[in-house]
Amino acid sequence: HFGYPGDVIAERILRLQPLDMRMQLKRALHQSYLLNDSYNNDPGSLQLALDYLAQQAGDAATTVILSDMLETGRDETEIYRQVAAQLAARNVHRLIGIGPAISRQAALFHAMLPGSVCLFYPDTQGFLQAMPGLAFRKEYILLKGARTFAFERISAQLEEKVHQTVMEINLSAMAHNLKVYREMLQPATKLMVMVKAFSYGSGSGEVARLLQFHRVDYLAVAYADEGIELRQAGISLPIMVMNVDEASFEALVNNQLEPEIYSFPIYRSFHLYLEKQGLQQYPVHIKFNTGMNRLGFEVSEAAALARQIQAQPTMMVKSVFSHLAASESAKDDAFTEHQVLQFQEACTRIQEILSYPFIRHIANSAAIFRRPAYQLDMVRLGIGLYGVEASGSEKPDLHTVTILKTTIAQLRKVPATETIGYNRRGVLQRDSLIATVRIGYADGFPRSLGLGKAGMYVRGHIAPVVGQVCMDMTMLDVTDVPGVSEGDEVEVFGRHIPVQQVAAEGGTIPYEILTGISQRVKRIYLEE
Ligand SMILES: *Cc1c(COP(=O)(O)O)cnc(C)c1O
């Protein structure tokens, strides 16, 4: 229309920054969470945001910061009566109304929300001035306002300050992946989800709350501390703990965590502990070794173990399980089948002696869809939930859950005669434009990816790493990236560079990359 040639348009489109118009959940001041949805405000989208707030908040206190509804044509009192009813239905603890219209309805809100604190301010500036006097602590805050109210000024005040490398976790994609795996299950098969190691790096409470909301049957963690964290985050689902020792018994019992019993010594010491506490029928999970050779009873020990459990009142077997060593690889299918047969043998021996039924499970993510016959009574979903499927040719339709992003701190022109970084290992072949980005091996970007092994995605191009990865920073060759500028967003892995590719380039597996992203990298939760 304005007569710009095609190549100019193409070049300038690359300079456009994406606008984040999705609901974002971030950590905020004083152990609060901020759910930021400050781009529109109407009763329909308010309902969606309140649902998401309720899903994440559980029993924690909630505050809703709401601007005027910019909706014309409907009676003002009628609109706010509907809003107040929505807030009342959700038991919102505090309402902060900002704008002249919502302030005019103060009496209506006080009447319809008698148990809530309701505060009103004529504009965003007025609220910002009052903010230091309002305590925000250990609560979930929904920020929802029409664009003209510039609520980004409020979110900037409420958010915890970050260094600009973030891991985005898309909870909608995670819910999609959960559904994909659920649809593969036989109708009676239960679902346990592995949320060990900080949910494969994605955050524990946030992910577990989503799983609880979607009613999975069981969660599993590696260590008691991880289970305690979930209880403190308000998770009431049953939780299996895989790696227990004597020192953790008290914490386990106090938090209703269910241990994996993997050897006679651990069986005996837990039995003695329960006996001393006067506890009976404590739920436990029996692990068999069928070829992984890590933890577990031998199959030949099954009958002796079952006789002891049956003779003592202290424990109750909730489930019996084993772990597959190579379920993702077709060349090991015969071995996998052998493991399953061994496992069935162990279950039969136990069932002959125990007087009650128990859940049998052996399948991890890859086995769920490659070997549906091994789903048995329950499956243990791990990496697939996080959108990664390591195996084979036919892949389930998974969505990317995690995106690791950083930004360019500085750009510099460097002549061909110079080198980049430590030990002068980055040798330039030409005059180059070098970008320094805010991520290093301390953040979990492996040092093995330096010297051109990996690249990062900048403005539609893959820019290779030059020189060694440093502790907190990495240098990229952006000579061939038109329009690049300081502050640009850089994708380390996610949508354009799959985490599987980064893992392969670093000579490792996606599990190690995902769980290795350090806690200093801020997690942001998105709901689309
Ligand atoms: C981690 C783990 C799983 C999940 O494995 P994925 O390959 O991530 O699906 C299942 N079972 C046990 C015992 C595990 O430790």
Side-chain angles (χ1 to χ4, degrees):
H1 181 76
F2 290 108
Y4 288 99
D7 54 340
V8 171
I9 295 175
E11 191 264 321
R12 292 197 182 163
I13 276 185
L14 284 175
R15 288 196 218 160
L16 291 177
Q17 294 286 334
L19 261 185
D20 257 319
M21 304 283 273
R22 301 170 290 184
M23 280 188 270
Q24 295 187 328
L25 182 67
K26 297 182 181 176
R27 281 184 201 269
L29 296 177
H30 310 304
Q31 300 171 54
S32 292
Y33 279 90
L34 175 66
L35 176 54
N36 190 356
D37 191 15
S38 54
Y39 302 98
N40 58 30
N41 197 11
D42 57 75
S45 67
L46 176 63
Q47 189 58 42
L48 284 177
L50 287 172
D51 287 346
Y52 183 36
L53 183 71
Q55 176 199 319
Q56 283 295 326
D59 296 332
T62 49
T63 289
V64 174
I65 305 178
L66 206 61
S67 78
D68 284 356
M69 298 265 161
L70 295 187
E71 209 185 36
T72 47
R74 272 178 69 194
D75 175 56
E76 188 174 289
T77 311
E78 203 36 57
I79 292 174
Y80 290 101
R81 190 183 303 284
Q82 184 185 348
V83 169
Q86 287 174 309
L87 297 174
R90 285 302 187 187
N91 269 325
V92 167
H93 295 75
R94 177 162 62 171
L95 166 69
I96 295 171
I98 299 177
I102 196 168
S103 298
R104 275 195 294 275
Q105 303 295 330
L108 173 96
F109 282 103
H110 287 300
M112 287 182 67
L113 299 167
S116 313
V117 176
C118 299
L119 305 167
F120 297 90
Y121 301 89
D123 52 29
T124 304
Q125 188 56 31
F127 168 71
L128 285 171
Q129 277 160 5
M131 219 183 106
L134 302 170
F136 291 96
R137 185 170 293 280
K138 292 190 178 175
E139 63 191 296
Y140 282 74
I141 306 161
L142 170 63
L143 184 62
K144 190 142 176 59
R147 225 168 160 62
T148 50
F149 282 86
F151 272 12
E152 58 274 9
R153 293 172 63 204
I154 300 177
S155 64
Q157 294 294 313
L158 283 173
E159 272 169 34
E160 244 181 5
K161 296 291 170 266
V162 244
H163 93 135
Q164 296 175 37
T165 297
V166 297
M167 183 143 131
E168 275 185 10
I169 292 119
N170 186 327
L171 294 176
S172 306
M174 195 176 269
H176 164 86
N177 296 342
L178 185 68
K179 182 159 161 280
V180 167
Y181 279 94
R182 272 207 158 130
E183 283 166 358
M184 291 183 218
L185 299 184
Q186 338 277 320
T189 301
K190 293 182 193 297
L191 179 60
M192 172 184 266
V193 181
M194 313 307 286
V195 291
K196 59 196 181 193
F198 202 54
S199 295
Y200 290 48
S202 301
S204 38
E206 301 82 357
V207 174
R209 273 190 287 271
L210 174 106
L211 296 169
Q212 179 157 287
F213 184 80
H214 288 280
R215 298 174 192 284
V216 308
D217 299 285
Y218 251 100
L219 299 177
V221 293
Y223 293 99
D225 285 349
E226 298 177 319
I228 294 167
E229 205 179 316
L230 293 180
R231 289 286 180 249
Q232 285 168 353
I235 301 300
S236 55
L237 287 173
I239 300 174
M240 176 173 92
V241 181
M242 294 191 287
N243 210 323
V244 297
D245 57 23
E246 254 176 86
S248 59
F249 289 165
E250 186 168 340
L252 282 175
V253 168
N254 288 341
N255 291 279
Q256 291 155 292
L257 303 172
E258 304 177 7
E260 163 186 324
I261 303 294
Y262 53 84
S263 71
F264 281 112
I266 202 81
Y267 168 76
R268 273 183 225 110
S269 53
F270 194 49
H271 165 71
L272 289 175
Y273 175 80
L274 293 172
E275 204 166 46
K276 214 155 84 205
Q277 304 297 315
L279 292 169
Q280 296 197 341
Q281 305 291 314
Y282 197 87
V284 298
H285 303 263
I286 307 296
K287 168 81 151 293
F288 279 99
N289 174 37
T290 56
M292 177 81 177
N293 292 319
R294 189 170 64 179
L295 291 182
F297 289 94
E298 298 310 320
V299 174
S300 60
E301 296 172 319
L305 173 68
R307 276 193 292 274
Q308 293 198 29
I309 295 174
Q310 181 67 28
Q312 311 277 9
T314 45
M315 287 179 224
M316 154 138 138
V317 178
K318 286 289 284 284
S319 86
V320 174
F321 74 110
S322 186
H323 193 37
L324 298 171
S327 64
E328 71 282 0
S329 107
K331 77 172 176 26
D332 292 304
D333 278 348
F335 181 78
T336 300
E337 189 182 346
H338 175 74
Q339 281 198 276
V340 173
L341 290 176
Q342 286 282 102
F343 175 61
Q344 302 274 33
E345 165 74 15
C347 290
T348 307
R349 293 284 90 81
I350 302 246
Q351 193 62 85
E352 281 165 0
I353 293 161
L354 278 198
S355 57
Y356 50 86
F358 49 82
I359 300 170
R360 300 162 308 148
H361 49 113
I362 193 165
N364 60 352
S365 304
I368 292 173
F369 86 100
R370 287 198 66 241
R371 288 275 167 267
Y374 304 157
Q375 290 178 1
L376 309 181
D377 302 328
M378 183 157 80
V379 295
R380 298 190 304 273
L381 176 62
I383 192 112
L385 178 70
Y386 310 98
V388 178
E389 176 51 65
S391 74
S393 47
E394 4 82 83
K395 286 188 179 150
D397 161 39
L398 301 180
H399 289 178
T400 301
V401 170
T402 32
I403 300 180
L404 182 62
K405 304 202 278 205
T406 184
T407 50
I408 296 178
Q410 193 176 19
L411 282 172
R412 163 192 330 280
K413 288 189 175 133
V414 186
T417 50
E418 297 197 19
T419 60
I420 306 297
Y422 283 121
N423 308 116
R424 310 193 61 210
R425 292 292 301 279
V427 180
L428 299 181
Q429 306 298 332
R430 57 174 178 174
D431 294 347
S432 303
L433 184 62
I434 302 298
T436 301
V437 296
R438 297 178 165 102
I439 187 169
Y441 58 78
D443 300 291
F445 186 70
R447 193 163 173 279
S448 60
L449 290 171
L451 308 178
K453 290 266 171 38
M456 296 184 194
Y457 182 87
V458 190
R459 285 186 184 252
H461 296 262
I462 303 288
V465 174
V466 263
Q468 305 273 26
V469 173
C470 309
M471 186 183 288
D472 314 297
M473 281 168 273
T474 299
M475 281 72 91
L476 305 177
D477 181 349
V478 291
T479 316
D480 298 325
V481 182
V484 63
S485 30
E486 290 179 355
D488 275 0
E489 187 176 285
V490 174
E491 179 189 296
V492 182
F493 64 72
R495 208 158 279 164
H496 304 282
I497 307 178
V499 65
Q500 290 93 320
Q501 181 185 331
V502 174
E505 289 161 349
T508 180
I509 53 175
Y511 299 74
E512 188 178 1
I513 300 287
L514 288 175
T515 57
I517 303 306
S518 96
Q519 289 304 311
R520 135 172 132 180
V521 174
K522 175 76 74 191
R523 271 67 171 170
I524 296 178
Y525 299 89
L526 302 177
E527 181 97 357
E528 284 185 325

